[in-house]
Amino acid sequence: MAGPTVCRGVALGLGVLWWWAVARLVLAPDAGVLEGAVAAGGWGLSLLPVHCVPKGRALGALGAGRWRRAWGAGREAGRGGGGG
């Protein structure tokens, strides 16, 4: 079971790196672009959705091609002429 252990190790390492960057930004007067980039990048990654499931298993998921059909229906209705 090396897979989960490796993933946890990488996550822990990246978390330590992020906290180091944030601590340097707050505490060190000579903190610069590198620390800012690491802190902003880690914060940006935290905004990604992590609780995702495949579209086929998602509750209330729309079928593939639904938007394509909707746009096509809109174009067909627009060609009907008449009003407007």
Side-chain angles (χ1 to χ4, degrees):
M1 292 279 215
T5 304
V6 170
C7 287
R8 287 186 187 122
V10 169
L12 179 66
L14 291 174
V16 167
L17 178 69
W18 185 83
W19 277 108
W20 166 82
V22 171
R24 287 234 348 130
L25 281 173
V26 172
L27 302 173
D30 63 338
V33 176
L34 177 65
E35 290 87 353
V38 170
W43 179 79
L45 286 175
S46 72
L47 298 178
L48 292 174
V50 294
H51 300 291
C52 298
V53 295
K55 195 173 191 177
R57 292 180 42 205
L59 211 74
L62 301 174
R66 180 200 183 265
W67 288 108
R68 196 173 312 121
R69 288 191 304 272
W71 279 103
R75 286 192 199 123
E76 293 297 323
R79 287 189 206 151

